[in-house]
Amino acid sequence: MINTLYAGAAMLDITPSAGTHLGGTWGTLRAAEVITERLYARALVLRRGERKLCILQPDLEIIMGPYTARIREAVSESCEMDPDAIMVHLPQPHSTPPLGNFLIDEDF
């Protein structure tokens, strides 16, 4: 039996426009004035036999639970894999946008 490990990777530019709220503050709006570096979402998928593992790493400060669930569900459907085999990992740079409201009122 051959025990082959397959790997695939992708990267997508997710840089928002100027004016987007940046993280790193507590309860205040901090809009991006200029874009000095592009932001990306990176994915690595590993497969051995029928088992798959996906690691997603978007350049975001935080992702709230409901958005993480939606991301895992979308990847699960498009890649035909178990949502429990999909990990969303964040580097948490504090000058990038969050996905979802964190410490900011919904009406802010």
Side-chain angles (χ1 to χ4, degrees), residues 53-88:
L53 170 69
C54 177
I55 302 169
L56 297 173
Q57 189 263 300
D59 290 334
L60 297 173
E61 179 197 27
I62 192 168
I63 299 178
M64 301 305 292
Y67 292 101
T68 301
R70 288 173 56 187
I71 290 167
R72 292 174 79 205
E73 181 180 309
V75 172
S76 173
E77 289 176 11
S78 66
C79 295
E80 299 177 357
M81 62 187 301
D82 184 350
D84 289 337
I86 301 163
M87 181 176 78
V88 180

Side-chain angles (χ1 to χ4, degrees), residues 5 8-9 23 46 58 66 71 74 82 88-90 102 107:
L5 177 67
L46 303 173
I71 290 167
D82 184 350
V88 180
H89 163 74
L90 300 177
F102 176 68
D107 296 328

